[in-house]
Amino acid sequence: MKEKEERVSGKENHAGYREKGERGNGKENHAGYWEKEECFGGKENREGCREKEERWTGKRENARIEDRQLPFAHWLYGVPGVGSRTIRHLSAKGRLPEELYHMTLQELESLFAPSAAGRKLAERIAASRQQGNVWRDYEELEKRNIRFTCLGNARYPKRLSQIPDAPYGIYYRGRLPEQEKPAVAIIGARGCSEYGRKMAQCFGRDLAVAGIQIISGMARGIDGIGQQAAVEAGGYSLGVLGCGVDICYPSENRELYERLAAQGGICSEYRPGTEPKNSLFPPRNRIISGLADVVLVIEARNRSGTLITVDMALEQGREVYALPGRVTDALSEGCNRLLQQGANVAVSPEELIRNLTGQGTGTGDGIHEKSILSDVQADLLHVLQDTPLPIEIIKEHMLYNCRRDMTIQELISQLVKLCLMGYARQIGNSYFVKESW
């Protein structure tokens, strides 16, 4: 896809986001992507070259961090100016967090390239030991039902550890996703249409019932709707926040926030107490895609934050699915463009489940056992043919042959249900065909 090439080259991608250009020049763009300049002075020295290679290939060995090391890892992750990249550099030196805590300033300085930036980082690490109690701070965290894990720890999600710029630490409430179960990120527009709302509910519910974990950002619109449907169906869903895990944002999703904490999980790379702000959400998106096997875009405008997540998913090697929409609908422009560029077509939850697990959702031997058709659905099935028909022609046939004057939205809703039952199949953006069985 063209966007992926643009993103790697540093050109502006379809979301108007200059990813590599911002990360590589040492400026503070997201959440500490300027550690390289502080740690290496922006020079291509030996450590800097190794960090760059690991950053883009994702081939990185993480030191094993036992649970007893977590209080020290939590301390190190909270040192001002010391981000994930700097900690990975220290880990590559074979140093565990507890060892770093007990080192002298001179020993710390020896771990960095000789420069003012290296000395400054060593001084920050040394000074931070005087600002609190490692064990007490960690115990206070757990008293608030907040857990912490880091790269190299058994609880850290394996999928996330394999992305190029994995966060060193993750705070979470509830449970993190299970590696053995498939996971799908459902994302889309905040100001979604009724069609998008129904599709988010449909995919969120059916995927969850099939045992697929739903990952999203708990945002307004598609994200929250898909996650709400998943937990209501009794499934697992994880909300990835752009603030501390102790803060519910947006506030209107309080009920969903509480249900996720109790039934699924909530996580963030940001320390508890971190207030939401615009600059924290783009880097959050890499975690959403990084925790998933597949990214499913329900609705997206041509230039939207949703497409930032798609860019990150492509960089991480994730599969991208998009739900087709009408060419005249602005909320479907992003999805239709993704499909034009080679994204997988999200025809139905059942097909996505089959692609992920190799199994369908039906329990009977034949398609007749899946559902009983309503009168409207029976008429629609009579109108559909073995060759694809556009939605406008289907609407005319329903009016003149079945005397049913239905809106396009009503037709789409019923046709999608027929697709989910296995009686029909969607072709392209707005064509439907009777399924042969």
Side-chain angles (χ1 to χ4, degrees):
M1 293 175 72
K2 185 178 179 182
E3 275 67 20
K4 185 175 181 182
E5 296 173 0
E6 292 177 342
R7 188 170 190 277
V8 173
S9 66
K11 297 178 182 178
E12 186 174 42
N13 56 34
H14 54 47
Y17 188 61
R18 300 182 67 88
E19 271 292 317
K20 187 178 178 185
E22 290 181 345
R23 292 179 181 177
N25 62 13
K27 297 180 181 178
E28 183 178 14
N29 58 354
H30 287 167
Y33 285 132
W34 61 317
E35 279 86 351
K36 180 177 178 182
E37 183 172 2
E38 284 195 334
C39 185
F40 307 112
K43 298 177 182 178
E44 291 296 330
N45 55 26
R46 290 187 63 186
E47 290 85 2
C49 291
R50 182 170 66 249
E51 282 292 296
K52 183 177 181 181
E53 181 183 359
E54 291 171 348
R55 160 88 174 82
W56 294 109
T57 65
K59 296 176 181 177
R60 181 175 60 239
E61 292 296 329
N62 300 309
R64 183 175 179 83
I65 303 295
E66 303 291 347
D67 286 353
R68 63 181 180 82
Q69 286 281 333
L70 288 178
F72 295 96
H74 174 247
W75 155 76
L76 183 61
Y77 192 55
V79 176
V82 176
S84 295
R85 181 172 295 184
T86 301
I87 300 175
R88 285 200 296 268
H89 163 71
L90 296 172
S91 296
K93 297 282 188 178
R95 303 298 184 178
L96 294 174
E98 186 175 4
E99 292 180 273
L100 295 169
Y101 184 81
H102 294 293
M103 280 185 177
T104 65
L105 177 59
Q106 290 73 24
E107 289 173 329
L108 289 169
E109 287 180 356
S110 70
L111 298 176
F112 298 98
S115 65
R119 287 193 298 273
K120 185 178 180 182
L121 281 170
E123 290 169 358
R124 286 178 174 176
I125 294 172
S128 69
R129 294 179 293 205
Q130 313 302 321
Q131 298 172 2
N133 182 286
V134 169
W135 293 101
R136 185 180 64 239
D137 293 346
Y138 191 74
E139 287 171 1
E140 287 297 323
L141 198 68
E142 294 197 319
K143 285 179 182 178
R144 298 166 61 190
N145 292 320
I146 298 174
R147 301 290 180 262
F148 176 81
T149 186
C150 67
L151 282 169
N153 183 252
R155 293 188 181 88
Y156 194 96
K158 185 176 179 180
R159 289 185 188 90
L160 190 61
S161 70
Q162 295 170 342
I163 71 171
D165 48 358
Y168 177 75
I170 288 289
Y171 296 91
Y172 64 99
R173 278 182 164 168
R175 296 178 290 120
L176 291 172
E178 296 179 32
Q179 178 65 25
E180 296 74 20
K181 295 182 179 179
V184 172
I186 296 181
I187 61 173
R190 285 175 169 79
C192 61
S193 68
E194 186 60 29
Y195 169 67
R197 174 181 294 275
K198 289 181 178 178
M199 291 299 95
Q201 289 173 336
C202 178
F203 276 89
R205 179 192 64 241
D206 290 2
L207 292 175
V209 168
I212 294 172
Q213 303 169 110
I214 304 301
I215 315 295
S216 200
M218 212 187 82
R220 299 181 184 92
I222 297 299
D223 293 31
I225 293 168
Q227 292 190 278
Q228 185 73 39
V231 295
E232 286 179 355
Y236 172 90
S237 183
L238 177 78
V240 184
L241 306 186
C243 56
V245 293
D246 55 337
I247 296 174
C248 175
Y249 183 84
S251 57
E252 59 260 38
N253 278 350
R254 168 61 65 176
E255 180 184 352
L256 174 59
Y257 174 88
E258 299 295 345
R259 291 196 69 170
L260 289 174
Q263 187 175 327
I266 299 166
C267 79
S268 174
E269 66 180 308
Y270 306 115
R271 292 179 71 84
T274 302
E275 294 290 337
K277 57 182 180 180
N278 291 339
S279 63
L280 301 184
F281 288 94
R284 177 275 307 263
N285 294 344
R286 82 191 191 285
I287 300 177
I288 294 176
S289 56
L291 286 167
D293 299 301
V294 163
V295 172
L296 169 62
V297 186
I298 298 293
E299 278 188 328
R301 295 183 183 275
N302 198 31
R303 294 175 66 86
S304 72
T306 299
L307 300 185
I308 295 176
T309 310
V310 172
D311 282 340
M312 295 179 173
L314 292 173
E315 181 181 300
Q316 296 164 357
R318 303 300 192 250
E319 280 196 272
V320 175
Y321 282 73
L323 185 74
R326 292 176 296 181
V327 295
T328 56
D329 191 343
L331 282 168
S332 291
E333 284 182 359
C335 288
N336 291 337
R337 184 177 174 187
L338 289 173
L339 292 169
Q340 185 181 36
Q341 293 165 349
N344 297 292
V345 184
V347 176
S348 68
E350 184 177 34
E351 182 169 314
L352 182 52
I353 293 166
R354 190 160 50 243
N355 291 342
L356 277 169
T357 67
Q359 300 176 354
T361 57
T363 56
D365 294 328
I367 204 165
H368 295 283
E369 299 180 27
K370 290 185 178 177
S371 182
I372 298 175
L373 297 179
S374 67
D375 291 342
V376 172
Q377 291 164 350
D379 286 343
L380 268 174
L381 193 59
H382 177 72
V383 165
L384 290 176
Q385 300 176 10
D386 294 330
T387 56
L389 293 177
I391 192 73
E392 292 80 7
I393 298 299
I394 296 174
K395 175 178 170 60
E396 290 181 8
H397 286 344
M398 287 294 285
L399 177 62
Y400 296 117
N401 297 342
C402 305
R403 299 187 181 279
R404 292 187 184 276
D405 187 9
M406 301 177 69
T407 66
I408 293 292
Q409 194 65 44
E410 289 170 338
L411 274 174
I412 289 175
S413 176
Q414 294 300 324
L415 285 166
V416 167
K417 289 179 181 178
L418 285 177
C419 290
L420 296 178
M421 295 175 194
Y423 289 103
R425 183 161 48 92
Q426 186 172 355
I427 306 293
N429 291 331
S430 56
Y431 283 73
F432 291 84
V433 62
K434 183 182 293 185
E435 188 69 278
S436 298
W437 40 269

